[in-house]
Amino acid sequence: MILPLSTAFNLYWLGRYCLRLEKLTKVLPFSHDADAQAYAFGCGLGIHTADSLNKLFMDGEHFASLPATIAMIKQNIQAVRGVLSARSFESFYTLDAAAPIRAIKASLAVCAQALAGERALVQQFYRLGMCIEEMDVHLRFAKLTSSDTAQIKAALSALPASWSALALHFDGTQLSAIDLSAFYALCEKIHAQFKGAQ
Amino acid sequence: MTAYFFNEMLSLDGSIRPEYKAISQWIAAQPSNCVEKLNQDATDHFLRKGITFTVYSDASNTERTIPFDIIPRIIARQEWDILEAGCTQRIRALNAFLHDIYHEQNIIRAGKIPAAQVLANSCFQPCMLGVTLPGRGYAHVSGIDLVRHNDGMYYVLEDNLRTPSGVSYMLEGRAISQKLMPEVFSGSHVMDIAHYPRLLKQTLMESCYETASNTPLIVVLTPGRFNSAYYEHAFLAREMDVPLVGGHDLCVENNCVYLKSVTGKQKVDVIYRRLDDDFIDPLAFNPNSMLGVAGLMSAYRAGNVIIANAPGTGVADDKSIYPYVGEMIDFYLGEKPILHNVKTWQCYKPDDLKYVLDHLPDLVVKEAQGSGGYGMLIGPKATKAELADFRTKLLAHPHVYIAQPTLALSVCPTLVDEGFAPRHIDLRPFILSSPKQVRTVPAGLTRVALAEGSLVVNSSQGGGTKDTWVIDFDAALPRPKVSRKSTKQGVPA
């Protein structure tokens, strides 16, 4: 399979948005103000009550909301339509922002199942996006573990040869020394790779 | 007196044509509302799969599914053989014409076509002069629009040699028919068309330069997701297992085209482009285009990449050139046309203009370089004001227009709100041309005008589609050869 860089970039972001959506379906709706406030803090949102946070996350106008995330997913799948099977495309295309959270969660599971049948390169870039998003979330909530760096290393190592050098990015760095700056430095290198920089 | 339209299903005596017997029995056996439900299932299928088409007639440019009617249009194999031979002949002549006008221009020297019709045509691309293509192949993918008139004969309404679309809907319509009507489908000896993507890929591979690698890289170049036919671009790329690319995915270095891939730059051998000439290279054509590839024409003229269809093919499918296709078949092939044109008046000719103005309410007037059914006048259905307006346009710019008689397009039973009713249809077979062979699949896109009495079948203006079944009752018998000389269209009574 010959995969254009721009398509791979959209697969990467598809992975990021899908994980983002998955996490939202796990935490919504909030019922305790303390939990909501802690979560909002991790997301960089100045929200203090469960009710307000629930409303924000269902507000399609807000970039971090569940409907907005689904909208981004639907844009991504159009961009990668040339490599997705009809089954995968349909599973993402029919994600319904107006459906109950439980139904969206079930739909995401169907999407994951469909994606498991895609070609290796498609899955690899999608997986890279998911791993990057996972690490992003864990850093924000101070839950980073060695598993995060290991997963990113594995995801990058699975990619074609020109990408594997990125897998060494965190090698030799103590887990405690990995902060958002170090993480964003890796993201920038990945993005440069997508742009075709050597 | 009620106008007579050839009925695809019913003979003049009201009996059902043999090829429609199975489907008519199936319809009669269905419980009430079953067929309506199947149509709804088909619509749901299109919606779930995101198979949409942008309708530009709305103010908001709405994304819609193309309405699909489950009742197929059926053609007997013997009739199809003639259509196939006629379309093949036509494309051979048109490709020969394209080579000629960009080289010796013999047909112009012979006085068969006025020079101005070709050289002053806005689709004529001077940059194509002298470019020698493998097998002289220009229009690798063509769509020929056919209509059946009330004399039972098929006529060519239009040639489409630029970026003809609709083949994905032909294939999806077949998939829906097989899924929703498995019993009647499997029992009807319908000829297969699923191999179209493989034939397309084979055609493109055969069109490469001999210097290309043993596994030439083919890409489908799309203007992107906001193009009305984007679904089809993605569909074909996926089915052929080739990359779908935008202009930003390609670059030209040392007069070669490269795809920027995750494994580095890959040399491209064939670009199946689905954008108009004007947008493919900002250095050669529209400098404002952000959809194309800078330097592409340089690589093309250097013989380092094939563009399918070649730039400049628009001259051949221009409505002002259409009246000369019969001449081309004679001039280049020494044959008589198997399929005939609709009578056409070219308004740049004073006598033709006079006739058109004198008979405007009876004629269909079109822009010679228009498409999609836009900007045309259907005289019998036009108001006095519309007729007067068009008369003014004709007098001001006669060279822009051609006129044709109002054709009595054949009708096919279609499920509408009131039940089954006859609706006008046309047919677009798709023809694949490589240096080695001209190929088709036994079917086409059947478009149906859903509104009662309407003759406008274009999906861009609300038309629908049907599956097209070519039925081979004698599948076990060897195929008779069809002569390339003029063949009378056999029309079952």
Side-chain angles (χ1 to χ4, degrees):
Chain A
M1 178 189 193
I2 297 178
L3 186 65
L5 274 169
S6 66
T7 309
F9 189 54
N10 278 289
L11 286 168
Y12 161 83
W13 275 104
L14 183 63
R16 292 198 66 163
Y17 288 125
C18 283
L19 192 85
R20 206 173 287 184
L21 181 65
E22 185 185 326
K23 294 222 175 278
L24 280 175
T25 62
K26 284 180 179 169
V27 299
L28 290 173
F30 289 96
S31 49
H32 299 295
D33 288 348
D35 292 339
Q37 189 169 352
Y39 195 87
F41 180 77
C43 295
L45 300 167
I47 304 281
H48 303 287
T49 67
D51 189 50
S52 297
L53 192 59
N54 289 337
K55 278 190 180 137
L56 181 145
F57 276 136
M58 298 312 294
D59 176 7
E61 297 295 312
H62 196 281
F63 73 92
S65 71
L66 184 144
T69 305
I70 288 179
M72 293 306 297
I73 287 172
K74 289 189 172 186
Q75 286 199 32
N76 276 121
I77 59 162
Q78 290 289 359
V80 302
R81 196 164 190 174
V83 299
L84 283 186
S85 66
R87 180 188 169 206
S88 290
F89 182 87
E90 183 178 334
S91 63
F92 284 105
Y93 188 74
T94 49
L95 280 170
D96 182 3
I101 302 276
R102 199 168 46 218
I104 295 174
K105 209 168 172 176
S107 296
L108 267 178
V110 171
C111 294
Q113 212 173 13
L115 270 173
E118 294 295 338
R119 284 166 289 185
L121 262 184
V122 172
Q123 292 191 55
Q124 282 157 10
F125 280 98
Y126 177 84
R127 173 145 183 77
L128 176 65
M130 293 191 90
C131 292
I132 291 290
E133 185 71 16
E134 185 92 83
M135 186 167 184
D136 191 349
V137 170
H138 286 171
L139 273 167
R140 289 172 185 278
F141 289 95
K143 289 183 178 174
L144 190 71
T145 68
S146 57
S147 170
D148 291 307
T149 53
Q151 294 225 42
I152 285 182
K153 183 169 184 172
L156 285 165
S157 298
L159 297 180
S162 57
W163 295 73
S164 52
L166 295 172
L168 305 173
H169 182 80
F170 290 124
D171 278 16
T173 308
Q174 295 275 2
L175 196 67
S176 57
I178 299 175
D179 58 8
L180 278 172
S181 292
F183 171 72
Y184 289 148
L186 173 61
C187 289
E188 279 173 18
K189 284 184 183 177
I190 290 173
H191 292 178
Q193 192 76 7
F194 279 120
K195 283 180 168 39
Q198 293 302 312
Chain B
M1 183 177 172
T2 309
Y4 166 69
F5 304 108
F6 184 94
N7 192 306
E8 297 283 340
M9 180 187 252
L10 301 174
S11 302
L12 271 174
D13 61 3
S15 61
I16 297 173
R17 300 184 194 279
E19 58 268 26
Y20 277 88
K21 276 204 164 47
I23 195 71
S24 68
Q25 286 167 356
W26 178 84
I27 292 171
Q30 298 311 301
S32 165
N33 294 332
C34 174
V35 179
E36 190 180 337
K37 184 182 179 307
L38 288 178
N39 268 3
Q40 187 56 51
D41 288 346
T43 300
D44 291 345
H45 170 96
F46 277 117
L47 277 171
R48 280 199 314 277
K49 287 179 168 280
I51 302 170
T52 59
F53 192 94
T54 305
V55 179
Y56 292 105
S57 56
D58 286 351
S60 56
N61 288 351
T62 317
E63 286 287 327
R64 287 195 194 155
T65 55
I66 296 181
F68 178 80
D69 185 73
I70 198 76
I71 309 301
R73 183 257 188 81
I74 305 178
I75 300 172
R77 167 71 180 271
Q78 292 84 345
E79 260 193 332
W80 170 257
D81 284 347
I82 297 169
L83 297 181
E84 182 182 31
C87 290
T88 299
Q89 179 193 57
R90 200 170 172 96
I91 290 303
R92 286 172 54 229
L94 285 165
N95 268 320
F97 167 72
L98 284 163
H99 175 81
D100 187 28
I101 63 169
Y102 289 117
H103 291 81
E104 299 81 19
Q105 298 179 349
N106 290 323
I107 199 167
I108 295 173
R109 292 177 206 279
K112 301 293 183 183
I113 300 179
Q117 288 284 91
V118 175
L119 304 180
N121 192 299
S122 64
C123 296
F124 182 80
Q125 298 291 6
C127 61
M128 287 298 292
L129 285 166
V131 176
T132 302
L133 300 177
R136 301 182 174 187
Y138 287 76
H140 305 83
V141 185
S142 318
I144 309 288
D145 289 351
L146 303 174
V147 294
R148 195 192 317 242
H149 192 40
N150 59 12
D151 59 3
M153 306 282 283
Y154 282 97
Y155 294 88
V156 177
L157 192 61
E158 195 171 279
D159 304 295
N160 297 283
L161 270 64
R162 284 175 246 193
T163 53
S165 63
V167 74
S168 59
Y169 299 104
M170 175 187 83
L171 293 164
E172 283 289 350
R174 175 57 55 87
I176 290 171
S177 290
Q178 288 177 287
K179 181 181 167 189
L180 299 182
M181 302 188 296
E183 329 82 13
V184 67
F185 183 87
S186 60
S188 294
H189 308 284
V190 183
M191 294 182 72
D192 191 25
I193 60 172
H195 55 296
Y196 178 89
R198 179 173 57 76
L199 290 188
L200 173 60
K201 190 172 185 180
Q202 192 173 356
T203 295
L204 296 173
M205 289 177 67
E206 288 172 359
S207 300
C208 284
Y209 288 101
E210 286 180 2
T211 49
S213 73
N214 289 337
T215 51
L217 176 57
I218 301 167
V219 300
V220 177
L221 176 60
T222 176
R225 60 168 295 209
F226 297 108
N227 180 271
S228 59
Y230 176 70
Y231 159 71
E232 178 158 301
H233 309 161
F235 174 88
L236 290 173
R238 200 176 61 240
E239 292 296 310
M240 289 195 287
D241 193 19
V242 303
L244 179 70
V245 302
H248 55 275
D249 291 311
L250 303 177
C251 62
V252 174
E253 289 176 8
N254 297 323
N255 266 346
C256 290
V257 181
Y258 293 91
L259 164 63
K260 298 175 221 172
S261 83
V262 297
T263 50
K265 288 180 187 155
Q266 308 286 336
K267 185 176 176 297
V268 176
D269 298 293
V270 182
I271 300 175
Y272 177 34
R273 54 88 174 221
R274 294 298 296 256
L275 54 165
D276 292 341
D277 285 0
D278 212 31
F279 296 100
I280 61 173
D281 183 352
L283 296 182
F285 303 116
N286 184 344
N288 298 317
S289 170
M290 297 178 68
L291 303 174
V293 189
L296 175 58
M297 284 305 295
S298 191
Y300 182 64
R301 286 178 56 87
N304 292 329
V305 70
I306 287 292
I307 299 175
N309 292 342
T313 54
V315 179
D317 76 8
D318 189 288
K319 293 179 186 59
S320 65
I321 294 292
Y322 159 91
Y324 299 102
V325 177
E327 287 276 8
M328 293 177 201
I329 291 172
D330 176 51
F331 188 79
Y332 296 113
L333 308 181
E335 298 171 9
K336 291 194 187 313
I338 297 170
L339 292 172
H340 298 280
N341 279 3
V342 175
K343 168 70 182 163
T344 302
W345 290 272
Q346 296 169 275
C347 296
Y348 79 91
K349 295 179 178 174
D351 287 349
D352 283 12
L353 177 63
K354 182 179 184 313
Y355 181 90
V356 170
L357 290 170
D358 289 344
H359 297 86
L360 201 55
D362 303 321
L363 300 173
V364 176
V365 186
K366 307 177 189 179
E367 292 178 9
Q369 293 182 17
S371 65
Y374 297 105
M376 71 184 206
L377 174 85
I378 301 179
K381 295 192 182 297
T383 63
K384 278 188 182 169
E386 287 168 343
L387 287 169
D389 181 50
F390 230 92
R391 185 178 297 273
T392 306
K393 288 180 189 175
L394 278 165
L395 287 167
H397 306 287
H399 62 282
V400 172
Y401 298 97
I402 57 115
Q404 295 172 325
T406 310
L407 283 177
L409 266 62
S410 64
V411 294
C412 188
T414 303
L415 184 63
V416 296
D417 291 341
E418 300 79 25
F420 289 105
R423 290 289 185 266
H424 296 290
I425 55 172
D426 76 353
L427 176 69
R428 178 181 287 184
F430 294 92
I431 299 90
L432 302 171
S433 306
S434 82
K436 290 187 178 174
Q437 200 174 341
V438 178
R439 302 174 174 98
T440 60
V441 291
L445 180 69
T446 290
R447 300 182 297 178
V448 54
L450 293 170
E452 185 179 3
S454 171
L455 297 171
V456 181
V457 299
N458 305 76
S459 49
S460 53
Q461 295 193 56
T465 65
K466 288 173 170 288
D467 190 8
T468 308
W469 293 3
V470 174
I471 288 191
D472 187 0
F473 291 115
D474 303 317
L477 299 176
R479 275 182 77 169
K481 286 187 181 169
V482 178
S483 168
R484 283 201 174 134
K485 298 191 189 308
S486 177
T487 304
K488 187 176 177 185
Q489 292 184 43
V491 176

Tab-separated table of all heavy atoms in Angstrom, chain B residues 24 48 54 206 226 241 254 274 298 344 386 401 424 459 488:
chain	number	residue	atom	x	y	z
B	24	SER	N	-41.463	-8.083	-13.916
B	24	SER	CA	-42.879	-7.716	-13.796
B	24	SER	C	-43.624	-8.756	-12.957
B	24	SER	O	-44.496	-8.409	-12.160
B	24	SER	CB	-43.529	-7.554	-15.173
B	24	SER	OG	-43.606	-8.800	-15.822
B	48	ARG	N	-26.498	5.837	4.726
B	48	ARG	CA	-25.552	5.257	5.703
B	48	ARG	C	-24.139	5.259	5.167
B	48	ARG	O	-23.182	5.430	5.896
B	48	ARG	CB	-25.951	3.815	6.031
B	48	ARG	CG	-27.072	3.655	7.022
B	48	ARG	CD	-27.053	2.243	7.619
B	48	ARG	NE	-26.876	1.239	6.600
B	48	ARG	CZ	-27.846	0.733	5.849
B	48	ARG	NH1	-29.082	1.152	6.023
B	48	ARG	NH2	-27.603	-0.198	4.952
B	54	THR	N	-23.713	16.850	-4.596
B	54	THR	CA	-24.072	18.234	-4.328
B	54	THR	C	-25.026	18.732	-5.397
B	54	THR	O	-24.717	18.672	-6.589
B	54	THR	CB	-22.823	19.126	-4.308
B	54	THR	OG1	-21.902	18.584	-3.371
B	54	THR	CG2	-23.184	20.548	-3.909
B	206	GLU	N	-2.140	-0.028	-19.044
B	206	GLU	CA	-1.778	-0.239	-20.456
B	206	GLU	C	-1.485	1.080	-21.159
B	206	GLU	O	-0.900	1.090	-22.240
B	206	GLU	CB	-2.903	-0.968	-21.183
B	206	GLU	CG	-3.035	-2.436	-20.780
B	206	GLU	CD	-4.276	-3.080	-21.366
B	206	GLU	OE1	-5.052	-2.389	-22.075
B	206	GLU	OE2	-4.482	-4.287	-21.121
B	226	PHE	N	-15.041	18.593	-1.216
B	226	PHE	CA	-16.151	19.501	-1.520
B	226	PHE	C	-16.566	19.426	-2.983
B	226	PHE	O	-17.465	20.141	-3.403
B	226	PHE	CB	-15.796	20.929	-1.103
B	226	PHE	CG	-15.576	21.047	0.374
B	226	PHE	CD1	-14.310	21.229	0.904
B	226	PHE	CD2	-16.648	20.924	1.252
B	226	PHE	CE1	-14.113	21.297	2.280
B	226	PHE	CE2	-16.460	20.991	2.629
B	226	PHE	CZ	-15.181	21.176	3.139
B	241	ASP	N	-7.358	0.057	-5.568
B	241	ASP	CA	-6.247	-0.023	-4.617
B	241	ASP	C	-5.083	0.876	-5.065
B	241	ASP	O	-3.918	0.440	-5.156
B	241	ASP	CB	-5.752	-1.480	-4.466
B	241	ASP	CG	-4.829	-1.651	-3.255
B	241	ASP	OD1	-4.866	-0.780	-2.359
B	241	ASP	OD2	-4.055	-2.636	-3.224
B	254	ASN	N	12.576	17.607	-11.567
B	254	ASN	CA	13.257	17.135	-12.781
B	254	ASN	C	12.268	16.579	-13.803
B	254	ASN	O	12.501	15.528	-14.404
B	254	ASN	CB	14.295	16.052	-12.432
B	254	ASN	CG	15.394	16.602	-11.549
B	254	ASN	OD1	15.815	17.744	-11.705
B	254	ASN	ND2	15.840	15.796	-10.595
B	274	ARG	N	-9.531	13.897	-11.902
B	274	ARG	CA	-10.958	14.193	-11.867
B	274	ARG	C	-11.161	15.698	-11.611
B	274	ARG	O	-12.082	16.099	-10.897
B	274	ARG	CB	-11.649	13.343	-10.784
B	274	ARG	CG	-11.615	11.851	-11.094
B	274	ARG	CD	-12.336	11.487	-12.364
B	274	ARG	NE	-13.740	11.785	-12.239
B	274	ARG	CZ	-14.698	10.875	-12.038
B	274	ARG	NH1	-14.387	9.603	-11.974
B	274	ARG	NH2	-15.968	11.233	-11.927
B	298	SER	N	4.608	20.265	-17.724
B	298	SER	CA	5.993	20.136	-18.158
B	298	SER	C	6.404	18.660	-18.108
B	298	SER	O	7.024	18.129	-19.039
B	298	SER	CB	6.860	20.992	-17.242
B	298	SER	OG	8.145	21.104	-17.754
B	344	THR	N	-29.072	18.018	-35.151
B	344	THR	CA	-28.572	19.177	-34.408
B	344	THR	C	-28.417	20.373	-35.331
B	344	THR	O	-27.869	20.259	-36.420
B	344	THR	CB	-27.206	18.852	-33.768
B	344	THR	OG1	-27.349	17.728	-32.908
B	344	THR	CG2	-26.688	20.021	-32.955
B	386	GLU	N	-39.722	33.088	-21.062
B	386	GLU	CA	-38.473	32.321	-21.200
B	386	GLU	C	-38.076	32.207	-22.662
B	386	GLU	O	-36.898	32.306	-23.013
B	386	GLU	CB	-38.646	30.925	-20.583
B	386	GLU	CG	-38.674	30.933	-19.056
B	386	GLU	CD	-39.138	29.622	-18.456
B	386	GLU	OE1	-39.757	28.792	-19.184
B	386	GLU	OE2	-38.915	29.418	-17.251
B	401	TYR	N	-24.671	28.486	-28.927
B	401	TYR	CA	-25.770	27.531	-28.784
B	401	TYR	C	-25.887	26.520	-29.924
B	401	TYR	O	-25.508	26.785	-31.068
B	401	TYR	CB	-27.098	28.292	-28.677
B	401	TYR	CG	-27.157	29.181	-27.460
B	401	TYR	CD1	-26.862	30.544	-27.572
B	401	TYR	CD2	-27.479	28.668	-26.205
B	401	TYR	CE1	-26.882	31.360	-26.444
B	401	TYR	CE2	-27.499	29.487	-25.083
B	401	TYR	CZ	-27.194	30.826	-25.217
B	401	TYR	OH	-27.222	31.631	-24.101
B	424	HIS	N	-39.234	9.195	-17.943
B	424	HIS	CA	-38.221	9.247	-18.997
B	424	HIS	C	-36.835	8.897	-18.468
B	424	HIS	O	-36.466	9.286	-17.358
B	424	HIS	CB	-38.191	10.647	-19.618
B	424	HIS	CG	-39.467	11.004	-20.319
B	424	HIS	ND1	-39.851	10.401	-21.504
B	424	HIS	CD2	-40.442	11.894	-20.010
B	424	HIS	CE1	-41.022	10.903	-21.880
B	424	HIS	NE2	-41.397	11.804	-21.004
B	459	SER	N	-28.719	14.331	-12.324
B	459	SER	CA	-28.826	14.253	-10.868
B	459	SER	C	-28.594	15.612	-10.233
B	459	SER	O	-29.109	15.908	-9.159
B	459	SER	CB	-27.826	13.241	-10.316
B	459	SER	OG	-26.552	13.486	-10.855
B	488	LYS	N	-27.847	-2.457	-38.419
B	488	LYS	CA	-29.179	-1.951	-38.116
B	488	LYS	C	-29.521	-2.320	-36.683
B	488	LYS	O	-29.305	-3.451	-36.253
B	488	LYS	CB	-30.187	-2.569	-39.080
B	488	LYS	CG	-31.582	-1.978	-38.969
B	488	LYS	CD	-32.498	-2.556	-40.014
B	488	LYS	CE	-33.901	-1.980	-39.817
B	488	LYS	NZ	-34.845	-2.602	-40.742
